[in-house]
Amino acid sequence: IDATGVPRHVLAGALAVESLLAFWEGDFASALAPATEANAIFQELGDKQGEALTLVPLGMMASTAGDVGRSRALLEESHATFERTADDWGVSLAKLGLAWALNIAVVDAPKGLYEETIERARTLGYEPETLAIGALGRRRALEGDQRAAKRLLGEALRRVVALDAKLGVSVYVDLLSDLAKNAGEEVLATRLAGAAEASFAALGVPISPVVGDRDARLRALRDRLGEGFEPAYVEGKSLTLDA
């Protein structure tokens, strides 16, 4: 953003929007810098709601860095600020951030958080609702409910395909790889992991932290498949996203 001659409050708003757009697309790393700058400006201006807005991507990034306590504190502060100002849109956004942050950290979540997040996300639009459905799918996978996880992650994948959100497609293909591994479908899991890796590489972005411990998953698949791992992985890398 070219900040030359731009009023501070306008600049902060533009940076916050830039950060949130990256957040919607699942590109959490790209959300960090504009959110950090916008947060500093909002604090300088005493704009509590603007500050609360930036705490959502900042809380997400704290989770990806392994700082679960800070992540939860930032997102709960954001939620509390929006609750005090009766900002339903902001409350929905904060809940969505918290849902994904707890998934990334693989820690227990408040009962009903994910279902409520989906209900609230519907008021924000199709993309946020898709993120909320994906968050519930990942939570069900972490809980070991394979059937529900497959249904929800599959729905999220169909939605991001319809949106032509290639980064989102990559994320959900990789999450389904993890699900297939846990279900004992090693060859399918390996092909999906290869497809996801090739897709992330083609997009020029790092593999998303929301997909879990990918390295551990690949090691486990390699151990189980032995010589069969590499052919399946190479085959997956050759697949197009449509395939």
Side-chain angles (χ1 to χ4, degrees):
I1 295 173
D2 183 0
T4 306
V6 177
R8 298 288 281 167
H9 71 282
V10 175
L11 173 60
L15 287 164
V17 169
E18 179 185 355
S19 176
L20 286 175
L21 288 174
F23 174 72
W24 292 144
E25 294 172 1
D27 186 2
F28 304 128
S30 295
L32 179 60
T36 301
E37 186 176 353
N39 180 265
I41 297 173
F42 282 132
Q43 286 191 45
E44 171 192 318
L45 297 173
D47 185 338
K48 292 296 184 183
Q49 276 191 284
E51 188 179 341
L53 187 65
T54 62
L55 292 180
V56 175
L58 290 176
M60 286 292 302
M61 290 310 298
S63 181
T64 65
D67 193 344
V68 182
R70 181 169 185 269
S71 170
R72 195 160 190 165
L74 291 175
L75 290 162
E76 289 178 349
E77 180 184 345
S78 174
H79 182 273
T81 299
F82 286 128
E83 283 276 19
R84 283 196 299 272
T85 56
D87 186 336
D88 289 339
W89 188 92
V91 169
S92 302
L93 181 66
K95 282 186 175 294
L96 182 56
L98 181 60
W100 270 112
L102 295 176
N103 281 349
I104 292 170
V106 194
V107 295
D108 290 339
K111 186 177 180 180
L113 169 65
Y114 291 83
E115 292 81 357
E116 184 181 350
T117 297
I118 291 176
E119 290 300 317
R120 284 185 169 274
R122 290 194 176 109
T123 67
L124 302 182
Y126 192 78
E127 293 90 339
E129 183 185 8
T130 300
L131 272 176
I133 290 169
L136 177 59
R138 179 58 174 165
R139 176 53 50 169
R140 292 291 177 261
L142 293 172
E143 294 169 346
D145 188 344
Q146 301 289 314
R147 179 174 294 182
K150 184 177 180 179
R151 175 179 58 80
L152 291 160
L153 292 173
E155 181 179 350
L157 177 59
R158 285 189 291 273
R159 283 167 163 258
V160 292
V161 167
L163 290 166
D164 195 30
K166 292 182 173 57
L167 180 59
V169 174
S170 308
V171 166
Y172 289 114
V173 166
D174 217 22
L175 286 172
L176 286 164
S177 165
D178 188 59
L179 197 66
K181 189 268 288 183
N182 293 335
E185 299 181 58
E186 288 88 357
V187 173
L188 174 60
T190 302
R191 291 175 66 218
L192 291 173
E197 181 173 320
S199 179
F200 282 119
L203 292 170
V205 298
I207 293 173
S208 175
V210 307
V211 301
D213 191 341
R214 194 172 195 276
D215 290 340
R217 187 200 324 158
L218 293 179
R219 284 195 300 272
L221 289 169
R222 192 182 295 275
D223 289 343
R224 293 181 194 177
L225 292 175
E227 293 182 358
F229 174 85
E230 203 60 35
Y233 201 56
V234 170
E235 181 185 357
K237 284 186 172 183
S238 71
L239 293 174
T240 64
L241 282 182
D242 286 341

